[in-house]
Amino acid sequence: MRNSIIIVICCILLSACTKTKSNESTLKDALNGKFLIGTAINIPQTFGIDTLGVEIVKKQFNAIVPENCMKSMFLQPEEGNFYFDEADKYVAFGETNNLWITGHCLVWHSQAPAWFFIDENGNDVSREVLIERMRNHITTVVSRYKGRIKGWDVVNEAIMDDGSWRQSKFYQIIGEDFIPLAFQFAHEADPDAELYYNDYSTAIAAKCEGIVNVVKTIQEKSLRIDAVGMQGHLTMDFPAIEDFEKSLLAFSALGVKVMITELDLTVLPSPNNFAGADVSANFDFKKELNPYSDGLPEDIELKQQNRYADFFKLFLKYQDKISRVTLWGVTDNDSWRNDWPIPGRTDYALLFDRNSQPKPIVNEIIQLAKGKE
Ligand code: XIL
């Protein structure tokens, strides 16, 4: 009799524990029905080598984007030779784990192979040749994942901070038309895929206006565009949240969704007030520009938490306009911010720390999403 009472009590306790565990909130559960919450994944995560990282992705996120493996220099390093192993693995990872799968990115001046723009003598190719190469690249890549990749960053970073056109090879050789053409080719290859324009520093008014004009041109040609991606590479003082809000509203007013596509928040000092996300930027390492190599002081951690929270409050305020918020990496260890724009620093830009533990901001976002703050 005594034994059975003990067994019953144990069972009750056990079921209570299991219950608490399954009720534990996660980002994706708390944000369910508001917007997708995603992360960029790297090669060790894609191949399941970084098991702790994979665990976080599965538990906390419902969307992924490939940090590097779908950029043209990796997919088509030589003309006509496509290497899909990593990209295939990435898509399979998304399917196995039931995640919204984004492709990044089809047309970008950076991380593109040199051959793309030149002939055998090293001279720029003609407009016709570059259009054909762009068409072939987009068609081959998008068709391969037709129906599986749900949305594509079709064009990345075509507008400068002052609103002018970036003088990329795509722009110089093809002209403004390279954008509508890219959207047309992507749509022809997979009519059901969502198509996005993606850029950084979109909170700068002039740049925002330039992007608004790009979107309008696409729409005037009756081509599909579903969303504008506002890369969220933030610093502690750039951009002002009010400016971010203005741009978000300007994009949304075009009748497209807004996505925050590459969210991270550096706590490190910026050389010469540098901000943005130009991947070619590179400054020399100096000890004073790497102040937290032994750990992040509590006051800075708190400041960062508050700034992250302010942005998430904004995202929640406009949840009807936002389809996805994606972090640019899983843990602080993974973040490109450790090496950009200065190599070899120790940054703390993401939501999970170097021990793969959630920072306090994770629970704060969950509480905000539940309307409890
Ligand atoms: C970055 C990756 O995180 C780095 O690993 C790589 O060395 C350079 O590119 N804008 C983008 C992303 O659209 O593709 C960039 O990713 C960061 C800036």
Side-chain angles (χ1 to χ4, degrees):
M1 180 65 183
R2 224 173 127 222
N3 276 355
S4 31
I5 292 174
I6 292 172
I7 289 171
V8 170
I9 293 173
C10 283
C11 285
I12 293 170
L13 284 176
L14 199 69
S15 91
C17 287
T18 331
K19 218 166 165 198
T20 324
K21 200 132 199 231
S22 66
N23 278 349
E24 224 176 63
S25 273
T26 63
L27 289 170
K28 71 174 173 192
D29 290 342
L31 292 164
N32 185 27
K34 302 182 189 306
F35 42 74
L36 292 169
I37 181 82
T39 179
I41 64 169
N42 59 23
I43 293 299
Q45 287 147 4
T46 304
F47 281 79
I49 298 161
D50 173 11
T51 48
L52 291 178
V54 168
E55 219 173 277
I56 297 175
V57 177
K58 289 195 207 170
K59 185 172 167 193
Q60 300 282 352
F61 297 100
N62 49 24
I64 50 169
V65 59
E67 184 177 6
N68 282 303
C69 74
M70 281 192 169
K71 293 169 181 173
S72 58
M73 68 183 272
F74 299 115
L75 285 183
Q76 199 186 176
E78 306 109 32
E79 182 163 21
N81 291 337
F82 286 87
Y83 293 79
F84 283 120
D85 288 2
E86 292 175 349
D88 286 356
K89 208 62 190 170
Y90 162 76
V91 175
F93 179 98
E95 288 180 336
T96 309
N97 296 305
N98 204 16
L99 303 161
W100 173 272
I101 307 169
T102 298
H104 172 87
C105 47
L106 296 169
V107 174
W108 188 27
H109 66 280
S110 189
Q111 292 183 282
W115 69 263
F116 215 99
F117 311 102
I118 53 177
D119 63 19
E120 58 284 4
N121 301 317
N123 300 319
D124 280 1
V125 291
S126 67
R127 183 173 193 272
E128 289 65 37
V129 169
L130 188 54
I131 291 175
E132 181 49 28
R133 286 181 180 178
M134 197 173 77
R135 192 197 57 73
N136 185 49
H137 184 80
I138 293 175
T139 308
T140 307
V141 175
V142 176
S143 314
R144 185 175 183 92
Y145 303 109
K146 187 169 188 277
R148 302 172 69 200
I149 288 199
K150 302 296 177 203
W152 281 99
D153 288 338
V154 180
V155 175
N156 200 24
E157 304 177 356
I159 298 296
M160 301 298 282
D161 288 359
D162 65 0
S164 65
W165 286 89
R166 180 185 294 279
Q167 296 296 313
S168 69
K169 286 289 173 196
F170 289 108
Y171 177 77
Q172 287 172 340
I173 298 174
I174 301 178
E176 296 177 13
D177 258 6
F178 85 87
I179 296 193
L181 283 169
F183 277 79
Q184 181 196 320
F185 298 150
H187 184 60
E188 284 166 1
D190 185 354
D192 293 330
E194 291 189 355
L195 304 181
Y196 317 130
Y197 176 84
N198 192 51
D199 216 325
Y200 64 84
S201 296
T202 51
I204 297 174
K207 186 161 191 166
C208 173
E209 204 183 316
I211 296 168
V212 164
N213 289 333
V214 165
V215 175
K216 281 186 179 159
T217 310
I218 297 168
Q219 292 174 325
E220 276 156 17
K221 291 185 189 290
S222 302
L223 291 165
R224 176 167 188 167
I225 175 162
D226 295 272
V228 171
M230 302 176 74
Q231 292 181 18
H233 297 297
L234 313 173
T235 75
M236 292 302 285
D237 44 32
F238 175 84
I241 202 149
E242 301 75 27
D243 294 338
F244 198 93
E245 180 172 18
K246 278 186 203 146
S247 292
L248 195 159
L249 291 173
F251 298 138
S252 172
L254 298 164
V256 295
K257 285 285 185 187
V258 175
M259 307 176 308
I260 289 68
T261 49
E262 301 183 15
L263 187 58
D264 53 25
L265 172 48
T266 179
V267 292
L268 298 181
S270 308
N272 312 331
N273 283 328
F274 174 81
D278 180 352
V279 292
S280 67
N282 193 346
F283 299 89
D284 288 342
F285 181 92
K286 286 194 192 115
K287 220 168 177 281
E288 61 269 28
L289 293 175
N290 187 33
Y292 311 128
S293 54
D294 295 331
L296 191 62
E298 258 175 42
D299 58 326
I300 309 286
E301 191 178 352
L302 193 61
K303 268 192 194 156
Q304 186 201 35
Q305 181 180 342
N306 290 339
R307 184 150 162 88
Y308 254 133
D310 286 345
F311 272 91
F312 270 90
K313 282 177 199 161
L314 184 80
F315 305 156
L316 286 164
K317 178 173 171 192
Y318 294 117
Q319 55 186 269
D320 58 321
K321 306 186 188 321
I322 294 176
S323 54
R324 171 166 56 90
V325 174
T326 288
L327 275 297
W328 200 244
V330 182
T331 75
D332 286 342
N333 254 333
D334 307 326
S335 173
W336 76 308
R337 293 284 203 167
N338 295 310
D339 288 301
W340 177 92
I342 300 174
R345 296 199 294 177
T346 306
D347 207 341
Y348 300 79
L350 295 167
L351 303 185
F352 294 83
D353 69 20
R354 283 182 164 71
N355 297 317
S356 305
Q357 294 307 306
K359 298 181 185 176
I361 182 60
V362 171
N363 189 43
E364 186 166 355
I365 294 168
I366 291 169
Q367 298 313 316
L368 287 169
K370 290 179 173 171
K372 289 196 179 148
E373 268 196 24

